[in-house]
Amino acid sequence: MEVTPYVPTEYSLAKTEYDPHRLPPIRSGDLVSKSDETPVYTVNNNRYALPPSNILRTISDQQSGEIDSWPANASGGSSAFRNLALTNQGRLVQTGASLRGKLDTTPKPRFLAIIEDYLYRELKALGVEDAVANESRLQVFREVFSTIIDDFKTYKPLLAAIKNEYEIMLTHLNDKVIDLEPLRQQLVLLSEQCDKKLMQYRKEEREEISLLKEEKRRLQQTIRQLTNQNQNLETNIQRLQEEVASQYQLYRRELDARKLLINDANDLRNQQEKRIEDKEGIDEQGMKKEDPIMMRIALKQARKDLNGALAKITHMEANYNDVVPRRDFVALEAKSGECLQRIKELQIVNDNQSQEIEQLRTQNENFKEDIQRLQREKDELNMKNENIHDEMTPRPSWDLAGEVIDGGSERWMNVSVNKTSQEKLVLLLNEFTGGNDDDGSGNLSQTTTIPEQLSPRGEGEQVPFHLRSSRSVKNRRLTRRDVAVLIQEIWTERRISDKQDGRTKSLSEFIYEFFRNRYGNHNTAVEMGYNLDYSCKRFKHNENCQLFYHILSGEADEDIYHYTKNLIEQLADRIIKESETHPNGTVTADAFHNMLTKYLPNKTPSDISELVAAAEKEQPNTEQLSVAKLFSVDDEDNYGEFIRVLKRHLNEDKQNYAHDVSEKIENSSSVSAKDLESTLRAINPHIQTNELAHVVQWTFEAKDGSQIPSMSANDILQRLQNGVFFRQHTLAAS
């Protein structure tokens, strides 16, 4: 019987509404269901039918339980798998040209060719041709195996049982993997917790080890010090022993020298006596008188004395050769006793120090235990503190109020000391609204009542022009901001008037005209003058109000304000003009440092660095400094941190300048204008003539405009500090 060649389209799977040639891809996790009559499977709620078993085989192969003998029945050859080969791993691969058509000579049964062709196309469509664990690949083989089981009726129960056992085992293993997944996650979490605890224990051990090492180094240093002291004591003992031995040798030598000296003295005495006797024994003619009897007696006596002296010398040498004088012995004995006593004392000190070392070691162990206990208590207290901190309402940071009120943090500390939160809040509100007065010491007085009417000062010549009135005026209760803005407007108009007409009026007269022009009548002008004067005294803790009041009352020179303002504006014009060459008018800190060094040559490097640091503090969140913002001023004539530091430098320069003057004139009871002029020229040889004249005139000028002949040194220093008194009056040339 001739076998018809296999054509794929003739024996394809049953057509469906989705694909007429092949089943759709089977993905992992899809539920599969089959029926007994027609093989179908369901993917994503879509049913797909497998071809019936009678379509997959020819009429000759429809007998149940019969298997084609292969390759013995191959007579015609099948072309379905002519280009495929089955590897040892169970993979179907294309043979290619390298196999030289070996598979073409061994044709397969049609049913096997159809199944293999379907299997290859499904695996290729799903992209699971490689033999790796994959749910989709398993599903394809499961469907093919089910088709084979249905085809072979004889072996269907056994093959179905085998397939069922495999499915049961796969399901069991999947369930087991799912059950073990939480345990794996719990194991990972437990491992991370163990690692964290281990790192924490290691950190605590490192801290404890560092403390123990530090304690060990300290104890070793103490031991070395004690050892060095002990060695020093032993060295002193050895030195004292050597000194005692050297003193003993000196005493021995002195004894021998004394003996020789005594012998020499005796010889000289004998020679002198002999010469005297010889002179007495010569008569008038010069002849020697000799008495044989006396000579014999004398000779006998001399021999006797000689023998006695020799015997005594022999006795002394024999008995006292190694003996020192008693006074030397007593001195050495006393000194030796002192040394022995000192040695005993040092030994006692050494024993005490040894005991102290043991006590320190014991204390060290106790301290270690205490440290561990305190560490545990500290951890417990920290946990309690965190719990309490989370439960309680956070307290406000009252220190920030010192940055916004007049007088800064120092004044805020003074006025808020020993105050409750409620009282601090009242103080802060009163500060903003101007509800309380300053008692003069930086404290806010809450008991002072603000008068409704301001008492008049009269209309005499001694009364300032803007306060000349004989009747009470209403207190308008100006706030601090109202006063600051009003002062700023007065200074602005004053500077404009000085530039146009020159300074022809006093500040008091100018204030009266300012209010007269603004309000249009005399009474309101006087009323505002009184309110301005009262408010300046009331808010004298404010720097601008205090300076304005001192100038208005004649205690300070008006040129102080104009000099400082002009200096700041000139410096701003030059620096801003130079910064225009940089992008957006911003410069780096180094460039700003160079600008300040250029235009302020008299400033020290530390002063320049402090100014740059103030500028960076004023603009903390920018890498570039905006020069225009550094010189900006608000409507209350307040500058930023940079200008405040610059003003402080000017004030310090004035104080140093005044200190130099005080050293020159402190011994003088009174100082005249010429004395002050000569002193200023000696201190500052480069001072200009007009500046010198202005300083001298201001210093000796009375309130009525007259000149005082002489003043005391303290009064002069006070006037200098309230005037335009600076070493450097101009900026460096650009």
Side-chain angles (χ1 to χ4, degrees):
M1 176 179 171
E2 185 178 357
V3 179
T4 304
Y6 169 69
V7 180
T9 56
E10 180 181 356
Y11 298 99
S12 60
L13 297 177
K15 295 183 179 180
T16 64
E17 58 180 353
Y18 296 95
D19 192 341
H21 300 291
R22 66 178 182 87
L23 294 174
I26 301 174
R27 295 179 178 84
S28 174
D30 292 338
L31 298 176
V32 178
S33 64
K34 294 174 54 179
S35 63
D36 295 335
E37 297 177 356
T38 302
V40 296
Y41 67 95
T42 304
V43 178
N44 294 330
N45 298 324
N46 295 323
R47 295 171 58 86
Y48 299 94
L50 289 173
S53 58
N54 57 358
I55 296 178
L56 296 177
R57 42 186 193 179
T58 60
I59 298 174
S60 61
D61 296 331
Q62 289 180 359
Q63 295 181 1
S64 176
E66 295 181 0
I67 302 177
D68 242 354
S69 60
W70 176 73
N73 68 333
S75 61
S78 176
S79 61
F81 271 76
R82 292 181 180 180
N83 294 329
L84 298 176
L86 186 64
T87 62
N88 295 331
Q89 290 80 15
R91 295 175 57 190
L92 294 173
V93 297
Q94 294 182 357
T95 57
S98 60
L99 296 179
R100 298 179 181 178
K102 291 181 179 181
L103 295 179
D104 294 339
T105 59
T106 56
K108 299 179 182 180
R110 291 181 181 177
F111 181 69
L112 177 59
I114 293 172
I115 291 297
E116 287 182 348
D117 183 62
Y118 167 74
L119 178 63
Y120 170 72
R121 285 189 288 105
E122 289 298 316
L123 293 177
K124 186 175 181 181
L126 295 175
V128 290
E129 298 173 83
D130 295 332
V132 294
N134 188 283
E135 187 70 22
S136 300
R137 181 181 176 88
L138 177 61
Q139 184 64 30
V140 174
F141 278 95
R142 182 185 287 117
E143 295 299 334
V144 172
F145 188 50
S146 298
T147 302
I148 294 174
I149 292 174
D150 293 338
D151 185 80
F152 296 103
K153 304 298 181 178
T154 304
Y155 302 100
K156 180 176 180 179
L158 178 60
L159 295 176
I162 294 172
K163 179 178 180 296
N164 188 34
E165 290 297 327
Y166 275 103
E167 293 292 340
I168 292 173
M169 180 55 66
L170 287 175
T171 304
H172 172 69
L173 293 178
N174 288 332
D175 294 338
K176 195 171 184 181
V177 169
I178 293 173
D179 294 337
L180 292 178
E181 182 64 23
L183 296 178
R184 186 182 67 83
Q185 296 178 358
Q186 186 177 3
L187 180 62
V188 173
L189 180 60
L190 183 61
S191 176
E192 293 179 355
Q193 293 178 354
C194 292
D195 292 339
K196 290 182 180 178
K197 289 184 178 179
L198 182 60
M199 295 299 294
Q200 183 179 1
Y201 292 152
R202 287 181 179 176
K203 182 179 180 181
E204 293 177 356
E205 289 178 356
R206 283 197 296 269
E207 294 177 355
E208 183 178 0
I209 289 172
S210 66
L211 293 175
L212 293 177
K213 288 182 178 179
E214 183 67 24
E215 184 67 19
K216 176 184 176 183
R217 286 194 295 271
R218 189 179 64 79
L219 293 175
Q220 288 179 348
Q221 184 177 2
T222 305
I223 293 172
R224 285 195 297 270
Q225 292 178 355
L226 295 177
T227 304
N228 293 334
Q229 291 180 1
N230 192 12
Q231 291 177 354
N232 293 334
L233 293 176
E234 292 179 355
T235 304
N236 292 333
I237 293 172
Q238 185 177 2
R239 180 177 58 80
L240 292 174
Q241 290 176 350
E242 292 177 356
E243 290 180 357
V244 170
S246 62
Q247 289 293 333
Y248 180 74
Q249 292 294 332
L250 292 175
Y251 292 142
R252 287 293 305 275
R253 293 174 183 174
E254 184 179 356
L255 177 62
D256 295 340
R258 286 188 177 185
K259 290 180 180 180
L260 294 175
L261 185 60
I262 291 172
N263 292 333
D264 293 340
N266 292 331
D267 292 339
L268 291 174
R269 188 181 296 110
N270 292 332
Q271 291 177 7
Q272 184 179 7
E273 291 177 355
K274 186 176 181 180
R275 284 197 298 271
I276 293 172
E277 290 177 357
D278 291 341
K279 288 181 181 180
E280 291 177 352
I282 297 175
D283 56 6
E284 296 178 356
Q285 290 78 19
M287 299 299 292
K288 185 178 180 181
K289 297 179 180 180
E290 294 182 357
D291 188 356
I293 298 174
M294 294 299 295
M295 293 293 291
R296 284 198 293 273
I297 295 172
L299 179 59
K300 186 184 295 185
Q301 186 64 32
R303 288 176 178 174
K304 183 178 178 181
D305 294 339
L306 177 60
N307 292 330
L310 292 175
K312 190 174 181 180
I313 290 172
T314 303
H315 177 73
M316 293 290 291
E317 290 180 352
N319 295 329
Y320 301 99
N321 188 28
D322 297 331
V323 178
V324 297
R326 177 175 291 277
R327 63 177 180 275
D328 297 338
F329 175 76
V330 172
L332 290 174
E333 186 177 16
K335 195 170 184 179
S336 177
E338 293 177 357
C339 293
L340 292 175
Q341 184 65 25
R342 180 62 178 166
I343 291 172
K344 291 180 180 179
E345 293 176 356
L346 294 176
Q347 186 66 32
I348 293 172
V349 171
N350 189 18
D351 295 338
N352 293 334
Q353 290 179 349
S354 299
Q355 295 177 359
E356 291 178 358
I357 291 174
E358 294 297 330
Q359 293 177 357
L360 290 175
R361 289 176 179 172
T362 305
Q363 292 178 0
N364 184 26
E365 297 296 331
N366 296 332
F367 287 157
K368 291 179 182 178
E369 296 177 357
D370 294 340
I371 288 172
Q372 295 177 356
R373 179 177 55 80
L374 291 175
Q375 185 65 33
R376 292 192 296 269
E377 294 178 357
K378 177 185 175 184
D379 296 337
E380 294 176 357
L381 292 176
N382 286 335
M383 294 180 63
K384 292 180 179 179
N385 186 26
E386 291 178 358
N387 295 332
I388 294 173
H389 186 270
D390 295 337
E391 295 174 358
M392 295 181 64
T393 303
R395 307 303 300 165
S397 180
W398 291 108
D399 295 337
L400 298 177
E403 301 178 1
V404 296
I405 71 168
D406 295 324
S409 300
E410 182 177 358
R411 179 170 172 269
W412 174 252
M413 293 296 294
N414 293 331
V415 301
S416 63
V417 64
N418 298 328
K419 295 289 192 304
T420 63
S421 298
Q422 181 69 22
E423 294 173 343
K424 290 179 180 179
L425 179 60
V426 173
L427 291 177
L428 199 58
L429 293 176
N430 290 333
E431 178 67 20
F432 292 151
T433 59
N436 290 332
D437 285 344
D438 197 313
D439 61 6
S441 61
N443 297 324
L444 292 174
S445 175
Q446 299 184 9
T447 60
T448 304
T449 58
I450 301 177
E452 296 294 336
Q453 298 290 329
L454 300 178
S455 302
R457 297 189 184 182
E459 297 180 353
E461 294 293 333
Q462 71 278 6
V463 179
F465 193 84
H466 68 290
L467 300 177
R468 293 178 182 178
S469 177
S470 58
R471 61 179 182 176
S472 301
V473 298
K474 179 183 178 181
N475 187 358
R476 296 198 174 191
R477 297 177 178 268
L478 299 178
T479 63
R480 182 197 56 77
R481 171 171 171 76
D482 296 336
V483 177
V485 173
L486 187 59
I487 291 174
Q488 170 66 3
E489 293 176 354
I490 292 174
W491 280 127
T492 303
E493 294 295 331
R494 178 70 165 174
R495 296 183 70 194
I496 295 174
S497 176
D498 291 346
K499 290 181 180 179
Q500 292 177 353
D501 305 329
R503 190 176 303 174
T504 59
K505 301 176 183 179
S506 65
L507 182 60
S508 178
E509 295 174 345
F510 180 81
I511 291 174
Y512 172 78
E513 291 189 0
F514 175 80
F515 288 132
R516 180 67 180 269
N517 295 331
R518 169 172 287 191
Y519 299 105
N521 61 78
H522 169 76
N523 294 332
T524 307
V526 173
E527 180 181 335
M528 289 302 301
Y530 270 92
N531 278 272
L532 177 62
D533 185 79
Y534 173 76
S535 299
C536 287
K537 289 188 292 184
R538 180 184 172 194
F539 299 116
K540 60 185 178 181
H541 54 267
N542 182 272
E543 181 181 358
N544 296 333
C545 295
Q546 183 181 23
L547 177 61
F548 185 80
Y549 180 74
H550 287 169
I551 294 174
L552 190 59
S553 61
E555 297 178 4
D557 189 0
E558 183 181 349
D559 289 333
I560 293 179
Y561 174 81
H562 298 293
Y563 166 75
T564 306
K565 199 72 173 179
N566 292 334
L567 180 64
I568 294 173
E569 290 179 353
Q570 292 174 9
L571 182 62
D573 292 340
R574 297 186 183 184
I575 293 182
I576 292 175
K577 183 177 180 181
E578 185 173 347
S579 66
E580 290 177 354
T581 59
H582 296 78
N584 299 325
T586 59
V587 297
T588 62
D590 294 336
F592 188 62
H593 186 282
N594 296 333
M595 292 180 184
L596 293 178
T597 305
K598 176 181 178 182
Y599 295 116
L600 300 174
N602 293 333
K603 294 292 183 183
T604 62
S606 60
D607 292 340
I608 299 296
S609 299
E610 186 177 2
L611 289 172
V612 175
E616 293 178 340
K617 181 180 179 181
E618 187 175 344
Q619 300 178 11
N621 298 324
T622 57
E623 297 180 356
Q624 301 281 338
L625 296 176
S626 177
V627 178
K629 291 182 180 179
L630 295 177
F631 293 95
S632 61
V633 60
D634 58 11
D635 56 354
E636 298 182 16
D637 201 16
N638 294 324
Y639 289 93
E641 181 68 18
F642 169 71
I643 298 299
R644 287 198 292 268
V645 174
L646 180 60
K647 287 183 177 181
R648 179 168 57 81
H649 286 177
L650 292 175
N651 188 47
E652 291 175 355
D653 176 67
K654 180 190 294 186
Q655 298 295 331
N656 295 332
Y657 200 4
H659 178 72
D660 295 340
V661 174
S662 66
E663 291 181 349
K664 295 288 185 180
I665 64 175
E666 61 182 355
N667 297 326
S668 301
S669 58
S670 62
V671 181
S672 63
K674 290 186 177 181
D675 295 337
L676 180 60
E677 182 178 350
S678 60
T679 301
L680 293 177
R681 288 188 181 277
I683 295 175
N684 188 8
H686 304 289
I687 188 172
Q688 298 180 4
T689 305
N690 58 344
E691 296 174 0
L692 179 61
H694 179 79
V695 172
V696 175
Q697 181 181 0
W698 158 256
T699 304
F700 290 91
E701 184 179 8
K703 291 187 178 181
D704 57 358
S706 61
Q707 292 290 317
I708 303 174
S710 63
M711 299 175 64
S712 64
N714 292 332
D715 294 339
I716 287 178
L717 293 178
Q718 185 66 29
R719 293 288 290 178
L720 290 177
Q721 291 177 356
N722 292 331
V724 181
F725 189 60
F726 303 97
R727 295 181 192 269
Q728 181 68 20
H729 277 254
T730 58
L731 300 176
S734 58

